[in-house]
Amino acid sequence: ESRIDFAMRRAVSRRPNDKERHLLVDMLALNLAEYEQDQEAARQLIAVGQAVVANDLHAVELAAWTNVARALLAAHETMVRN
């Protein structure tokens, strides 16, 4: 099971369809490329918050996955509505 499938299942309790998977894979690739070019931006992003980031984590990869997770959690499908 890919990380994308895992994240999607945790966020919305289902696997992504082909279109969703493609969009998320593209988002990840774009973020990886951007943060590879600006590693300081990656370090700044992962420094936000209270959790301590382990030194052995790759900042570029963590920042890119953070943005994928943010997109998933901001999706309309994850919102609880009354």
Side-chain angles (χ1 to χ4, degrees):
E1 181 174 52
S2 76
R3 286 181 180 181
I4 298 253
D5 286 358
F6 178 83
M8 185 80 171
R9 286 182 57 211
R10 293 297 174 255
V12 295
S13 300
R14 65 175 178 81
R15 288 197 165 108
N17 62 37
D18 290 340
K19 182 178 178 180
E20 292 165 332
R21 184 178 289 109
H22 182 74
L23 287 170
L24 293 169
V25 167
D26 285 352
M27 173 185 275
L28 178 62
L30 177 65
N31 277 271
L32 285 169
E34 287 180 3
Y35 286 127
E36 195 61 48
Q37 294 298 313
D38 188 358
Q39 293 187 16
E40 181 58 28
R43 285 189 288 278
Q44 288 177 4
L45 175 63
I46 65 172
V48 173
Q50 296 177 348
V52 177
V53 178
N55 291 332
D56 62 338
L57 293 178
H58 189 252
V60 168
E61 186 175 357
L62 182 56
W65 278 105
T66 297
N67 283 339
V68 170
R70 288 167 48 174
L72 279 172
L73 294 174
H76 183 74
E77 191 173 345
T78 64
M79 305 293 173
V80 175
R81 297 172 294 279
N82 291 337

